[in-house]
Amino acid sequence: MMNIVLLEPEMPANTGNIGRTCAATGTRLHLIEPLGFKLNEKALRRAGLDYWEKLDVTVYSDYQDFLDKNPKALNKLYFATTKAHRVYSDVAYEPDCYLMFGKESGGIPEELLIENEDRCIRIPMWGEIRSLNLSNSVSIVLYEALRQQGFEKMELEGELHRLQWKSRES
């Protein structure tokens, strides 16, 4: 199972959207405090729709608490940052790795990035754009990691309902 780690997320709508993505992919969500919102906040629930109840989510008091409770994460943790030298798609992700994203206003603290520079990844961007939206960034990197795992246990095909479509055309 993949893991998304949000370090001090600030915007409930982003976290709600990420929670919905995690629920849709069978991914665990780890939230490291302080949070810029309350977990029962309306904007969080609205963005996550009715999927929030299906989510495997854990909240930690700080980064050390996260590491203490997830000792395997230390060697399987990737840090998404605009400061990385390596593109996210150039990494071979483990099936149970942890993808960390920092808060919207400042990203992951520089000291963590320096300590883990070999596991820092970036999404390429054009021009002077500072960064992508947090929930979009999570989706991009998570789906690449899931693609590498063959989208294990995920629905790979949909079904068209041709009879309903034909009745609308009449």
Side-chain angles (χ1 to χ4, degrees), residues 13-27 29 44-52 54-55 139 142-143:
N14 279 337
T15 302
N17 286 330
I18 293 164
R20 183 176 180 176
T21 299
C22 288
T25 58
T27 300
L29 179 59
L44 177 74
R45 301 285 180 185
R46 186 179 314 121
L49 295 175
D50 56 341
Y51 302 106
W52 195 258
K54 296 173 177 35
L55 183 61
S139 294
L142 175 60
Y143 267 87

Side-chain angles (χ1 to χ4, degrees), residues 9-147:
E10 299 168 318
M11 298 180 177
N14 279 337
T15 302
N17 286 330
I18 293 164
R20 183 176 180 176
T21 299
C22 288
T25 58
T27 300
R28 286 187 185 112
L29 179 59
H30 305 265
L31 302 176
I32 300 175
E33 293 181 325
L35 308 179
F37 50 86
K38 297 196 182 320
L39 286 178
N40 61 358
E41 197 161 316
K42 193 178 208 176
L44 177 74
R45 301 285 180 185
R46 186 179 314 121
L49 295 175
D50 56 341
Y51 302 106
W52 195 258
E53 301 305 320
K54 296 173 177 35
L55 183 61
D56 181 355
V57 62
T58 306
V59 180
Y60 305 90
S61 60
D62 56 30
Y63 179 65
Q64 190 59 53
D65 182 36
F66 165 74
L67 290 178
D68 291 345
K69 292 177 179 166
N70 297 280
K72 293 180 182 177
L74 195 56
N75 296 318
K76 297 181 178 191
L77 186 57
Y78 295 91
F79 300 81
T81 175
T82 58
K83 299 172 184 176
H85 300 287
R86 187 162 50 159
V87 175
Y88 76 97
S89 56
D90 292 340
V91 172
Y93 298 99
E94 302 90 345
D96 57 347
C97 70
Y98 295 75
L99 307 171
M100 178 182 276
F101 299 82
K103 62 184 171 183
E104 291 89 340
S105 66
I108 298 170
E110 189 106 2
E111 56 272 12
L112 271 180
L113 299 176
I114 291 169
E115 289 172 13
N116 300 283
E117 189 172 355
D118 59 324
R119 286 184 277 124
C120 289
I121 56 172
R122 71 173 281 116
I123 299 169
M125 291 176 281
W126 181 81
E128 299 296 317
I129 303 299
R130 283 193 318 275
S131 64
L132 296 173
N133 172 275
L134 179 61
S135 62
N136 293 338
S137 297
V138 168
S139 294
I140 290 168
V141 178
L142 175 60
Y143 267 87
E144 171 59 20
L146 292 168
R147 182 196 66 78

